[in-house]
Amino acid sequence: MRGVDTQLATSLVEVLPEALIVTRPDGTVEAVNRAAETLLGYDADEVVGESVTLFLPPQARQRADVVAWLKRWGDHPEPLQWQYIHLTGRTKQNEDLRLSVRVARIDRGDQPLYAITLRDVRKDVEQLAELRHQNLLIARILSISDDAIITIDREHRINYLNHSAEALFGYGADELLGEPLSRLLPARFQGAHEQHIETFRRGTEPSRLMGQRGEIVGLTKDGRELPLEASITKVTIEGEPHFSAHIRDISERKQAEEALKASEARFRAMFENALEAIALLDPSGKVLELNESARGLLRGSADAIGAAFWDLPWWPEVTDEARQGLERAFERAAGGETYRVRTSPDGKTELDFSLIPVKSEGEIRLVIAEARDITHLVS
Amino acid sequence: MARITYVEFDGTRHSVEVRNGLSVMEGAVFNSIPGIEGDCGGLCACATCHVYLPEEWAERVPPKQDMEERMLDFAFDVNERSRLSCQIEVSDEIDGLEVHMPECQY
C-alpha cells in the first residue's frame, strides 16, 4: 500500500473487520488477524503453523480439496467463482460456519503466500434461501393456475406468462416474452385496449374486472378470436408500473348462454302459441307462469301470478264449490297423480282441466295445469 | 424442441417442452421446477444446477469440459453420472432426456 509504512499496514490488517488468514502453498497458516481470531474462536498462536483445514475442513458430501482449490484460485483467479462458492468452516467450539471465501496470491521471496479472507454469510444464506423458497412457491402456483396469467410492463411488453396463457394463445413463452401485448389482440381492438390500460394506469383502483361488457377479444397464434374476461391488477415497483391480467376464455360460457337463449326462445314459442290455456304452478299451487291462451281465458286478470291456481277467475262467476273442486284436483296432482276434472259452476262455461305433476330427482317440482273450454263440445 | 423430464429427489416428475438453444438448467428455471437453482445464471460457476443423467443418456450428450469437472467439486453427492445442467444444451437430439436431481444444491 503506497504511502503506508509497515507498522501502519500491520495495524490496518489488525483492525480490518474481515477475517484474514495468510497461508503457504501447502495450506500451513503463517498469520491471522484479530477478526479471524474472533470469527474462528482460536488465538493466533493456536493456528499459526497448523493447516488451514483446522477451520476449513474437508467439505461434507463435496469432493473439493480445499487446500488445492485455494492454491488454484490464488494462482489462476476466476473471479466469478468467488461470488458463488461458499465453504463450510468450523470454529474451535466445533460450530459450523457458512463462509464466503476469497483468496489472492502474494509473491514474495522464493515461495508465494496466499491471503485468504473469510466472511460469515450464514444470515445472508438463510435470508436468500427463504426468499428463494417463497419465490419458487409463488412461481409454481402461478405457473399451474387454470387462469391464463400475463404480465406486461409500462410499454405494454409481455414480461411473464404462465402455462395456461401459452396454451390459450398457442404460443411458447419464448415467442412472447418481450413482445408487445398487441400480438394477442385483433387489430381492430388494439387501440381501445391500450386506452383501457392507460385509463387504468392513471386511475386509483388497484385491480379491475375487464371484459364483462365484451370489450376483450384475444387473438391466437393460428388467427382464432377468443372472447375473454380478465381481472387486471397494477403493481408499481420503484416507480415502474406492471400490469398483471388473469384471463379466462369465455367462449364456452358464451356458447352455453347462446344455447340457453335459443332453447328459451323455442320453449317460449311453444308455450305462448299453444291453443290450450297453460299455467305452470309451484308445488304449493301458486301460479308461476301463464301462457297467452290462459291469459285470454282469465280475461287478462292482472294479479294471477303468485295467486293460488284454484282462486283464479276461470269463469266469470266462480263458486266456492268450484274453487274447492280445483283445490282438491290440485292436491291429487301434487300427490303425484295426473288428474283431470271438468266443471261448469255457472252452468254456461264448461272447462276441462288436466293437472300434470312434473317430477325431478324424485320430487314434484312443478304442476302443469291445462284448461280447455269444451262448452261448444258438450252443448 | 425437446421434451425433458426433471425428476425431483422425492420422485416428483415434471415433463416439459424446452426450446433448442436453451440449457437443461434454463428449461427447469423457466418452468419453475424445484430442485435446480442455477444461481450463477449458467456460467458454470456455482454448481447449483447439479443433476444425474441415467446411464443410457451418458453417451448421448456432449462430454464434460474441464471447467464443469472442476465445478462439480463443489456440488453435493457427486458420482460418475453427475453433470451441471447449465452445460447441456437443448437440441432435438436430447428429446426424451430425463434428469434426476440430487437431495440438495447447497
Side-chain angles (χ1 to χ4, degrees):
Chain A
M1 195 184 284
R2 281 182 199 159
V4 174
D5 62 30
T6 312
Q7 195 184 353
L8 180 56
T10 308
S11 302
L12 281 174
V13 168
E14 275 301 274
V15 299
L16 204 66
E18 208 156 31
L20 177 69
I21 291 133
V22 179
T23 69
R24 293 188 210 139
D26 66 358
T28 306
V29 177
E30 280 275 309
V32 294
N33 71 350
R34 206 174 295 155
E37 289 178 296
T38 307
L39 177 69
L40 301 169
Y42 288 101
D43 287 335
D45 51 13
E46 292 177 290
V47 289
V48 170
E50 297 291 331
S51 169
V52 74
T53 55
L54 181 67
F55 44 84
L56 288 175
Q59 305 291 294
R61 301 167 67 181
Q62 290 172 297
R63 67 182 189 191
D65 175 334
V66 172
V67 173
W69 263 92
L70 290 173
K71 183 173 177 325
R72 228 193 82 78
W73 283 346
D75 295 345
H76 307 282
E78 293 174 50
L80 275 172
Q81 291 172 353
W82 297 357
Q83 298 170 27
Y84 302 107
I85 303 291
H86 293 155
L87 294 177
T88 300
R90 189 163 296 155
T91 67
K92 185 181 176 184
Q93 292 73 31
N94 233 8
E95 187 190 0
D96 277 352
L97 302 170
R98 202 63 189 149
L99 299 171
S100 167
V101 182
R102 292 179 184 223
V103 60
R105 194 167 88 158
I106 306 164
D107 286 313
R108 198 192 63 162
D110 53 350
Q111 68 170 356
L113 293 175
Y114 297 87
I116 301 165
T117 55
L118 307 177
R119 201 160 56 84
D120 183 5
V121 290
R122 273 176 299 182
K123 271 211 178 103
D124 298 350
V125 168
E126 278 168 22
Q127 281 172 356
L128 209 64
E130 198 175 316
L131 264 179
R132 185 183 291 116
H133 294 158
Q134 284 172 358
N135 276 341
L136 181 63
L137 182 63
I138 292 165
R140 286 274 336 139
I141 292 169
L142 294 181
S143 78
I144 60 140
S145 158
D146 274 347
D147 275 357
I149 301 173
I150 295 180
T151 303
I152 57 170
D153 62 14
R154 179 195 285 275
E155 275 83 39
H156 301 184
R157 290 190 179 276
I158 297 167
N159 53 20
Y160 174 82
L161 72 161
N162 70 351
H163 291 315
S164 294
E166 290 177 287
L168 183 63
F169 291 98
Y171 288 97
D174 52 286
E175 295 176 276
L176 288 179
L177 289 173
E179 292 294 312
L181 182 67
S182 55
R183 286 273 302 271
L184 303 177
L185 302 167
R188 67 185 187 283
F189 289 106
Q190 288 171 5
H193 190 266
E194 286 192 2
Q195 208 51 51
H196 281 308
I197 297 178
E198 279 310 300
T199 307
F200 177 62
R201 183 178 72 77
R202 287 193 301 270
T204 54
E205 292 171 281
S207 55
R208 178 191 289 180
L209 184 60
M210 298 173 86
Q212 286 171 306
R213 296 183 302 277
E215 71 265 40
I216 303 185
V217 177
L219 181 68
T220 64
K221 189 178 179 181
D222 58 12
R224 283 178 300 119
E225 293 196 358
L226 302 170
L228 303 174
E229 186 176 86
S231 310
I232 183 169
T233 189
K234 173 172 60 177
V235 184
T236 303
I237 301 169
E238 294 183 352
E240 277 302 308
H242 298 260
F243 304 96
S244 178
H246 287 236
I247 301 163
R248 284 169 294 278
D249 176 3
I250 55 172
S251 321
E252 279 185 19
R253 195 205 301 170
K254 287 249 175 203
Q255 279 166 10
E257 281 170 3
E258 294 302 322
L260 200 64
K261 262 189 215 162
S263 166
E264 165 74 5
R266 284 195 296 273
F267 164 75
R268 276 285 136 211
M270 191 172 67
F271 184 67
E272 292 296 348
N273 293 294
L275 293 176
E276 304 272 27
I278 303 173
L280 292 180
L281 312 179
D282 76 6
S284 73
K286 290 200 173 68
V287 175
L288 299 170
E289 290 211 47
L290 293 169
N291 73 348
E292 179 63 31
S293 299
R295 287 192 294 273
L297 196 58
L298 291 166
R299 297 166 302 282
S301 174
D303 48 1
I305 302 297
F309 153 71
W310 48 88
D311 285 338
L312 296 185
W314 294 105
W315 303 268
E317 287 164 31
V318 189
T319 62
D320 282 346
E321 195 184 342
R323 258 200 293 271
Q324 284 157 11
L326 284 185
E327 189 171 356
R328 279 195 300 277
F330 174 78
E331 278 162 9
R332 300 288 288 267
E337 189 181 343
T338 297
Y339 198 75
R340 198 160 171 189
V341 60
R342 288 162 60 164
T343 182
S344 173
D346 58 1
K348 293 177 199 157
T349 309
E350 177 137 12
L351 297 181
D352 178 1
F353 288 93
S354 295
L355 290 150
I356 306 145
V358 179
K359 279 192 181 175
S360 165
E361 293 172 1
E363 277 188 44
I364 291 170
R365 310 280 176 182
L366 283 175
V367 173
I368 301 172
E370 291 177 2
R372 198 145 55 103
D373 185 346
I374 55 168
T375 314
H376 63 286
L377 294 176
V378 294
S379 57
Chain B
M1 192 74 86
R3 177 156 289 276
I4 300 176
T5 302
Y6 298 87
V7 185
E8 288 185 63
F9 188 72
D10 69 2
T12 307
R13 300 168 70 83
H14 305 262
S15 187
V16 294
E17 297 268 343
V18 184
R19 184 166 55 91
N20 288 357
L22 294 179
S23 69
V24 172
M25 176 275 284
E26 287 170 317
V29 171
F30 292 170
N31 286 286
S32 310
I33 293 170
I36 289 183
E37 304 294 344
D39 282 1
C40 74
L43 298 166
C44 195
C46 73
T48 61
C49 62
H50 174 210
V51 294
Y52 304 109
L53 291 190
E55 203 171 352
E56 64 270 25
W57 278 99
E59 302 293 318
R60 294 173 62 186
V61 296
K64 279 175 271 195
Q65 302 291 308
D66 286 352
M67 182 71 166
E68 181 183 347
E69 191 66 61
R70 287 202 302 273
M71 285 315 300
L72 277 167
D73 282 358
F74 291 94
F76 290 83
D77 305 327
V78 168
N79 67 27
E80 69 282 0
R81 302 223 190 103
S82 292
R83 292 295 304 259
L84 293 182
S85 55
C86 70
Q87 298 303 299
I88 305 173
E89 188 179 325
V90 175
S91 65
D92 292 345
E93 283 70 51
I94 66 160
D95 184 40
L97 176 71
E98 182 171 305
V99 296
H100 294 250
M101 327 259 193
E103 188 175 13
C104 61
Q105 299 283 8
Y106 294 96

